[in-house]
Amino acid sequence: MTDAATEGELTLGEVTELSRQVLERVSQAVVGKAEALELVLAGILAGGHVLLEDYPGLAKTLAARSFAQALGLEFRRVQFTPDLLPSDVTGAFVYDQKDSEFVFRPGPIFTGLLLADEINRTPPKTQAALLESMQEHQVTVEGQTFPLPTPFHVLATANPVEYEGTYPLPEAQLDRFMLRIGFGYPSPAEEWEVLRRRMSRRTEDQSVEAATDAAGLRAAQRAVERVTVDDTVGQYCVDLATATRRDSQVLVGASPRGSLALLLTARAYAVIQGRDYVVPEDVKAVAVAALAHRITVRPELWLHEVSGATVVRTVLGSVAAPPTVVGARA
């Protein structure tokens, strides 16, 4: 455990070092994917939720569990299926025969990090059970509201290739995720490293050592709030989101929640890179992950393989970035 395990305040330099330790320990389980792992951590440090959307077998579940272990958070996994009920996620009131009264039995959502595995395989009614918790950090059951632990984060996975028996997430639910990230296939060298590590440890199970705990993560998230953001960089975030709404390929562009996610994630990303101020390059690094899933492309363009990601890359090339801000917080 590091000193970050305490509830005290952290400097931004300490958060940078903590981030390095967390990424180093997650990388012990997840081979390669350094950029994607940095984005996941940036989303968590920014207080958000992350959707991992990619093909099967690319370590999405392993990454979620490894982050929970490295961050010292209680971890629970829910396998989303077509017959899953909202109460299976949130919990429900059950009759206690001993006391002759109904008592609330919390569901798996009452945890530090929830893995919503294959979230697009459950009906909208159950998907919606996550909406209140992700936005308000609370659960309401039969008129009673129960606060969730802090910190509370959802890492959800989705399979983009199997559509039979799936329920695509509606725009309102996608908008609740601060970032959507894909891992992609490993290089041949990385894939061999996966095999080599499996043979070396002689077991399927993997675990990583905690670098902090829930109190340390809360302190790190508070420290990120002190990152300096120049007005020109904030306006750049707004300009990028606005440009997605004006693009001729787009039916619905990124909402103001998108520009806010862009700014908040860029702050956390800057700290991971070892700075206490945000530069335009931080915004560019997180732009696709923060904005692409908030964009609805015109249906007739799907055949041309136009996606939210291609739209974001287009606006990144057309919207002028402000000069790099050099300097740190005094």
Side-chain angles (χ1 to χ4, degrees), residues 31-34 58 183-195:
V31 177
K33 313 307 173 195
L58 296 183
F183 282 0
Y185 284 111
S187 67
E190 291 171 342
E191 192 163 354
W192 163 241
E193 180 64 14
V194 172
L195 274 59

Side-chain angles (χ1 to χ4, degrees), residues 79-125:
Q79 185 68 45
F80 280 68
T81 58
D83 60 348
L84 194 73
L85 298 175
S87 58
D88 295 329
V89 179
T90 62
F93 281 92
V94 297
Y95 187 71
D96 188 333
Q97 293 184 335
K98 180 179 179 180
D99 297 327
S100 299
E101 62 180 4
F102 284 92
V103 296
F104 181 67
R105 296 289 173 84
I109 203 169
F110 287 85
T111 188
L113 193 150
L114 175 73
L115 173 59
D117 212 3
E118 295 187 290
I119 191 174
N120 57 334
R121 289 200 175 279
T122 200
K125 185 175 183 180

